[in-house]
Amino acid sequence: MQGMHKILSKGTAMQNPILVLNCGSSSIKYALLSNDSSERVAGLAENLGLDTARIKHTDLNGEKVEISLAGANHQWALQKILGLLAAYKPVAVGHRVVHGGREFSHAEKVNDHVLAEVKRLKVLAPLHNPAHALGIEAVEKIYPDLPQVVVFDTAFHQTMPAKAYRYAIPKDLYNEHYIRRYGFHGSSHAYVSHRADSLAPHHQANGWITVHLGNGCSLTAVYDGKSLDTSMGLTPLEGVVMGTRSGDVDPSLHIHLHRILGYSLDQIDTILNKQSGLLGISGISSDMRTVEQAANEGNEDAKLAIEIFCYKAARYIASLSCALPTFTGLVFTGGIGENSASIRQKILQNLPHFGIKANLDKNAELSRGVEGSFHQADSLLQLWVIPTDEEYQIAKETKEVLGL
Ligand code: ADP
């Protein structure tokens, strides 16, 4: 509590700050961004519902405090968070919402209909959307007059054409049950592709493949600022190998595992979402740093996990290039994409047919938040590393929706 007073007494001069919230089932990530996003106060409430619930808060000067909130639920935690930030006077809240279904192609101001839809879309995002709704309702109770906006992970991909978003299954499943590909990580793909557009010299529309490699991984083909195809589908399980998610498997795997091992659908869901990916193949960790270290020490399973991870990402780059009228280059982002020069290099080694020429020295320099390009002058594709900033993107869209 001592630290809290310090925070409240410091740096209260932020201009029209926007509070960005990412409410998960047992955690709330928050960031308060000044009008030009140059100043931030950020933190994380975690272990909600447990005795170990706490808030880890970092103020404008980088000072950290930890506040214990044993047993706190979302509303209690948000009450504390809003108390910590009250002196900065946030003018609006932007919520990251995972699923916006078919209806939402851009951010929306929260009203009864929008909130009801966020709740209804639980059918498509059972772990995430209910937690987002809890966050929206809690803020509404604490500050009924504070405008709230929802920014959907899926919205950026609503520009995909039907040939990219439809599955080759009976059309009634699409018409009546909305079974289609949606795509995720929209705020990240939007941010880095727009940033690449502003950094890369060009005279016409750019075609990028944005390669977001974090715990979750997805790639998107972006042309002239619009998503034309992406690797994730109905859920964030489709696509490339991730930390604990398998990415694509034969759709018959479910029935096969059920037949030979008697697994239930829930068991298979857990295997594919939580026990697969880097963790499943290496048997060591879902964390790329740990897997890379084990591979460097000679562990064969870890080496294979990295080989499959990089090969699969490269296969997706090649296939997503079909969506682009012109192919300007690749943009790497996410914890792995931003920091691991060796993973970037291994992905490129799997792409021998695109005239890519990387400057390996420059590649090695790009990590820990450094932004830049690493292609040689005669490379047919540009190569960029752009640290993602989903909070910035959510704050930006929140302001646009509210006309701030
Ligand atoms: P999230 O998807 O949860 O936001 P991040 O984008 O932070 O996660 O990505 C986490 C991943 O980034 C982990 O696999 C982590 O090992 C990896 N990572 C972070 N730094 C490095 C690094 N220097 N080298 C390799 N991988 C890294």
Side-chain angles (χ1 to χ4, degrees):
M1 291 301 270
Q2 261 179 346
M4 205 171 114
H5 292 299
K6 266 188 179 168
I7 289 164
L8 291 176
S9 64
K10 269 184 197 169
T12 52
M14 262 196 192
Q15 288 290 310
N16 296 336
I18 304 289
L19 175 59
V20 175
L21 290 179
N22 182 355
C23 297
S25 52
S26 65
S27 69
I28 301 171
K29 275 192 204 155
Y30 62 93
L32 188 76
L33 282 74
S34 61
N35 199 24
D36 63 359
S37 298
S38 61
E39 294 183 301
R40 297 185 191 200
V41 182
L44 168 72
E46 58 186 4
N47 303 341
L48 298 180
L50 302 176
D51 284 350
T52 49
R54 63 190 162 194
I55 295 178
K56 291 177 176 171
H57 182 87
T58 307
D59 77 4
L60 268 182
N61 307 312
E63 234 169 273
K64 294 178 194 298
V65 278
E66 197 169 307
I67 300 159
S68 168
L69 282 182
N73 61 10
H74 281 71
Q75 183 160 340
W76 183 4
L78 272 169
Q79 191 116 33
K80 271 282 174 214
I81 293 167
L82 289 168
L84 281 168
L85 302 173
Y88 300 103
K89 297 192 171 51
V91 293
V93 179
H95 291 265
R96 176 205 176 209
V97 172
V98 164
H99 224 302
R102 286 206 298 192
E103 182 179 332
F104 298 114
S105 54
H106 44 73
E108 293 277 351
K109 186 171 179 193
V110 173
N111 56 29
D112 290 348
H113 167 70
V114 169
L115 178 58
E117 280 298 289
V118 169
K119 287 182 181 171
R120 191 183 64 75
L121 290 165
K122 168 186 169 183
V123 64
L124 289 168
L127 295 180
H128 294 99
N129 273 36
H132 305 322
L134 277 180
I136 295 167
E137 287 176 324
V139 172
E140 204 169 270
K141 278 200 189 109
I142 302 164
Y143 284 128
D145 295 331
L146 196 61
Q148 302 195 67
V149 169
V150 279
V151 180
F152 301 99
D153 259 14
T154 48
F156 182 61
H157 301 297
Q158 286 292 305
T159 46
M160 288 195 290
K163 69 178 178 185
Y165 72 69
R166 285 285 294 271
Y167 290 114
I169 56 175
K171 63 182 178 186
D172 287 352
L173 290 173
Y174 170 69
N175 289 331
E176 286 161 35
H177 302 284
Y178 316 131
I179 308 296
R180 52 160 282 179
R181 307 184 61 253
Y182 289 96
F184 298 88
H185 286 145
S187 297
S188 177
H189 292 295
Y191 174 79
V192 298
S193 59
H194 293 165
R195 183 91 190 123
D197 276 338
S198 71
L199 292 169
H202 66 286
H203 305 287
Q204 55 191 28
N206 282 318
W208 301 108
I209 292 181
T210 49
V211 185
H212 178 114
L213 305 175
N215 285 315
C217 303
S218 70
L219 291 81
T220 298
V222 185
Y223 180 71
D224 202 10
K226 294 188 176 63
S227 168
L228 295 185
D229 200 356
T230 191
S231 60
M232 285 177 169
L234 175 73
T235 75
L237 184 58
E238 188 176 335
V240 295
V241 174
M242 312 181 208
T244 61
R245 287 178 228 152
S246 60
D248 297 341
V249 292
D250 188 320
S252 291
L253 184 64
H254 286 74
I255 191 78
H256 184 71
L257 291 178
H258 176 70
R259 279 191 191 129
I260 62 163
L261 297 167
Y263 287 172
S264 68
L265 286 177
D266 281 344
Q267 276 176 303
I268 299 166
D269 197 46
T270 302
I271 291 171
L272 297 181
N273 277 293
K274 304 212 168 113
Q275 299 166 354
S276 295
L278 290 174
L279 174 65
I281 308 166
S282 72
I284 296 171
S285 174
S286 63
D287 190 293
M288 184 56 99
R289 280 166 296 199
T290 311
V291 177
E292 279 198 296
Q293 192 181 334
N296 291 339
E297 287 162 2
N299 183 296
E300 292 301 326
D301 290 333
K303 284 188 203 167
L304 183 62
I306 290 171
E307 209 180 321
I308 297 174
F309 182 92
C310 294
Y311 176 63
K312 199 66 190 280
R315 259 183 74 184
Y316 257 94
I317 289 169
S319 66
L320 284 171
S321 72
C322 299
L324 294 173
T326 58
F327 194 175
T328 312
L330 303 174
V331 183
F332 291 93
T333 194
I336 301 170
E338 291 166 25
N339 290 301
S340 179
S342 69
I343 296 295
R344 293 193 295 259
Q345 191 182 338
K346 287 193 179 89
I347 292 173
L348 298 178
Q349 282 166 353
N350 281 289
L351 291 164
H353 309 301
F354 287 82
I356 296 171
K357 291 189 187 171
N359 178 329
L360 298 184
D361 293 334
K362 271 197 183 166
N363 184 31
E365 286 165 16
L366 297 171
S367 70
R368 295 167 191 265
V370 180
E371 178 180 81
S373 61
F374 64 101
H375 49 276
Q376 296 180 26
D378 59 345
S379 176
L380 291 188
L381 292 184
Q382 296 181 27
L383 304 169
W384 288 87
V385 174
I386 299 185
T388 195
D389 194 345
E390 287 158 288
E391 279 106 9
Y392 170 89
Q393 186 68 25
I394 291 170
K396 177 171 165 263
E397 293 186 28
T398 299
K399 284 188 281 188
E400 281 166 5
V401 166
L402 298 173
L404 294 172

